[in-house]
Amino acid sequence: MGFDRFVLEQLPRTPSRVLEIGCGPGQLALAVAASGHDVTAIDPVAPEGPIFERATLEEFSAPAPFDAVVASRSLHHIPDLDSALAKIAQLAPVLIVEEFAWDRFDERTAAWYLAHRDGQSVSTEQCLRDWEQEHTGLHGYDTLRSAFDRRFGERFFAWGPYLYRYPEVHGSRESEQAQIDAGEITALAFRYVGATLSD
Ligand SMILES: C[S@@+](CC[C@H](N)C(=O)[O-])C[C@H]1O[C@@H](n2cnc3c(N)ncnc32)[C@H](O)[C@@H]1O
């Protein structure tokens, strides 16, 4: 299931007031808004449009609380993750996330990636070194998960495929998922839904 459909299934009612953090080009925000929800989508590089605002989470000031915060692959970029989660918990009682656990990329997953991508041939060892260098400084799974767990209680969690998203990869979401299910490679994406912890 695409993340847009997943988000729609998790929203408490229609219309829900939804804040998307780190919306990028805005496809998810537009899809959720087209399904009848009241969406605000923020990102320093947000597109023009009535539902979009060019702001970081740190800068954003909400006129009223939301029913849910949605974030797709943006939270691992935010330097002060704990403050970000504290702010999110103030903004809405529900957090719906799709994230990138880049630090789970291992030798078998690198070998699958190399076998399914166009481009220069490199060794698995070199691929692992390049990967580490490209992603250093981004939060990995344990850091994301502990930041979520400090403010939210888990309502849903699932691992899923990630590499199929890269334009250089010629493998489908389904084929990557099948390899994960068979235990041949490691899942690099996860979906999480949390509800704020009461004091
Ligand atoms: C990998 S992109 C994901 C874009 C889109 N959500 C998607 O899934 O395709 C990460 C996005 O997070 C945004 N971002 C990074 N730090 C942010 C912050 N502090 N507040 C809001 N957005 C941020 C970036 O500008 C970028 O558009």
Side-chain angles (χ1 to χ4, degrees):
M1 181 195 308
F3 189 54
D4 50 355
R5 254 188 64 203
F6 177 78
V7 168
L8 293 174
E9 284 188 1
Q10 298 294 330
L11 292 175
R13 68 189 75 83
T14 304
S16 285
R17 276 179 48 79
V18 180
L19 173 67
E20 187 186 358
I21 297 168
C23 64
Q27 296 99 326
L28 174 62
L30 290 169
V32 174
S35 294
H37 297 285
D38 178 6
V39 178
T40 300
I42 62 167
D43 194 305
V45 298
E48 295 290 340
I51 68 168
F52 296 109
E53 185 174 327
R54 283 204 181 131
T56 62
L57 172 64
E58 296 85 334
E59 294 160 350
F60 179 65
S61 156
F66 293 89
D67 296 309
V69 163
V70 174
S72 164
R73 306 185 300 134
S74 55
L75 298 179
H76 67 278
H77 288 280
I78 297 188
D80 186 349
L81 196 54
D82 211 34
S83 299
L85 266 294
K87 183 162 182 177
I88 291 169
Q90 295 289 316
L91 288 168
V94 175
L95 172 64
I96 307 168
V97 170
E98 180 156 71
E99 259 302 343
F100 177 34
W102 68 270
D103 54 329
R104 287 166 47 97
F105 193 67
D106 56 14
E107 206 171 316
R108 290 179 319 159
T109 312
W112 185 89
Y113 171 61
L114 288 171
H116 289 81
R117 75 155 198 190
D118 296 323
Q120 206 192 344
S121 155
V122 295
S123 68
T124 308
E125 293 69 31
Q126 185 60 48
C127 178
L128 285 164
R129 279 195 295 275
D130 293 346
W131 181 273
E132 180 77 29
Q133 205 171 23
E134 278 164 33
H135 297 96
T136 295
L138 300 174
H139 302 301
Y141 174 69
D142 288 344
T143 308
L144 286 164
R145 190 56 214 246
S146 4
F148 297 173
D149 289 343
R150 277 195 284 278
R151 308 284 173 183
F152 292 87
E154 179 186 305
R155 286 253 181 100
F156 175 92
F157 182 87
W159 289 109
Y162 191 88
L163 295 168
Y164 74 91
R165 296 162 177 276
Y166 291 133
E168 74 273 18
V169 170
H170 42 87
S172 63
R173 180 191 178 93
E174 290 70 26
S175 65
E176 189 181 343
Q177 182 69 58
Q179 291 296 296
I180 293 167
D181 293 343
E184 297 294 331
I185 63 172
T186 304
L188 300 182
F190 67 92
R191 286 180 183 173
Y192 168 92
V193 180
T196 41
L197 296 168
S198 44
D199 295 327

